[in-house]
Amino acid sequence: MVIKYVISYGGPGSGKGTQCANIVQHFGYTHLSAGDLLRAEIKSGSENGTMIQNMIKEGKIVPSEVTIKLLQRAMQEDGNDKFLIDGFPRNEENRAAFEKVTGMEPAFVLFFDCPEEEMEKRLLSRNQGREDDNIETIRKRFKVFLESSLPVINHYDAKGKVRKIDAARPIEEVFESVKAIFGPKNEKS
Ligand SMILES: Nc1ncnc2c1ncn2[C@@H]1O[C@H](COP(=O)(O)OP(=O)(O)OP(=O)(O)O)[C@@H](O)[C@H]1O
Ligand SMILES: Nc1ccn([C@H]2C[C@H](O)[C@@H](COP(=O)(O)O)O2)c(=O)n1
Ligand SMILES: [Mg+2]
């Protein structure tokens, strides 16, 4: 089976997860959020749980080998051939390690571009009980995004793979732009 994946990218609170839920409904992809997989690993009581929890609280990036194993396991267990990988790779090391281990590159990268003030407002009113949705950790996450995650976008941009979307608009308008990128022929019948 030939596996295809698309990356959903953007700063914390840019709306990646929200748009991924719509994409799953419309286009039949399996959504894999690296953050959700890491949070599930904490809850499962695994030996890495405490380390992951501490790193997330500090807004830091968990070592590649941990996140890649979780993504690979989720892909194998799912059996779909189309994946929407959300919030990964978070830095160049994540990216290089994933491509080396899997031998795969994304079909394209959706980049939800949103100003920090808007992302901060969204995160502070998200109310999902996330330990990292407090102003101190949010500021650290923004810094990590600028310093470590934007270079990943530059890498894929140089390969012509980035599809930039203005994510500061209402959810439905953002999704119209997403649909235009996937195209009508990829819609579920
Ligand atoms: N276009 C939008 N306009 C207003 N609010 C939005 C929009 N998109 C998402 N939201 C809201 O903003 C919050 C953050 O959205 P979401 O969880 O999708 O972001 P994310 O990019 O996945 O964030 P994180 O990186 O922290 O996981 C949620 O409460 C969501 O309902
Ligand atoms: N590739 C990744 C993805 C996420 N994390 C950690 C660090 C993030 O702040 C946290 C939450 O992720 P989100 O749900 O906001 O996408 O999870 C990581 O270390 N590596
Ligand atoms: Mg998310």
Side-chain angles (χ1 to χ4, degrees):
M1 181 164 64
V2 180
I3 288 183
K4 168 181 174 170
Y5 75 99
V6 169
I7 292 175
S8 172
Y9 220 69
S14 56
K16 303 179 292 296
T18 303
Q19 295 301 327
C20 284
N22 287 334
I23 295 166
V24 166
Q25 293 296 320
H26 253 78
F27 298 102
Y29 280 70
T30 293
H31 175 207
L32 294 180
S33 156
D36 287 349
L37 290 170
L38 290 167
R39 284 183 285 274
E41 191 69 358
I42 298 171
K43 281 211 188 110
S44 77
S46 96
E47 55 177 348
N48 285 323
T50 307
M51 177 275 289
I52 297 171
Q53 187 168 30
N54 289 335
M55 295 202 80
I56 288 183
K57 247 192 248 166
E58 285 303 312
K60 290 185 180 157
I61 298 170
V62 173
S64 296
E65 62 269 23
V66 173
T67 317
I68 289 172
K69 272 202 193 111
L70 294 175
L71 284 167
Q72 283 190 300
R73 190 172 68 194
M75 288 168 103
Q76 278 157 11
E77 283 174 2
D78 186 82
N80 197 352
D81 60 351
K82 296 192 295 186
F83 292 91
L84 191 52
I85 298 190
D86 167 6
F88 183 95
R90 220 51 163 227
N91 59 16
E92 274 290 279
E93 196 242 326
N94 270 182
R95 182 195 63 72
F98 187 76
E99 287 179 7
K100 188 167 174 204
V101 169
T102 63
M104 297 190 293
E105 284 204 16
F108 56 88
V109 179
L110 295 170
F111 176 33
F112 296 102
D113 188 32
C114 195
E116 269 192 16
E117 313 83 76
E118 175 64 20
M119 295 195 287
E120 185 178 303
K121 200 172 75 185
R122 291 179 188 177
L123 292 174
L124 289 174
S125 56
R126 179 154 59 179
N127 285 330
Q128 286 178 1
R130 276 179 55 164
E131 279 193 279
D132 55 351
D133 279 351
N134 60 80
I135 194 62
E136 197 188 333
T137 311
I138 288 169
R139 298 248 157 94
K140 288 181 184 165
R141 290 158 71 198
F142 285 160
K143 189 165 183 286
V144 168
F145 178 70
L146 289 177
E147 290 176 359
S148 303
S149 306
L150 278 182
V152 175
I153 282 292
N154 295 337
H155 170 90
Y156 288 128
D157 203 22
K159 297 189 147 209
K161 291 193 179 226
V162 175
R163 310 286 182 265
K164 188 168 162 175
I165 295 167
D166 174 5
R169 296 170 294 154
I171 292 171
E172 300 71 27
E173 278 184 39
V174 176
F175 191 55
E176 286 305 312
S177 300
V178 170
K179 279 201 285 193
I181 290 166
F182 279 89
K185 76 173 177 7
N186 288 308
E187 290 204 29
K188 279 199 309 192
S189 44

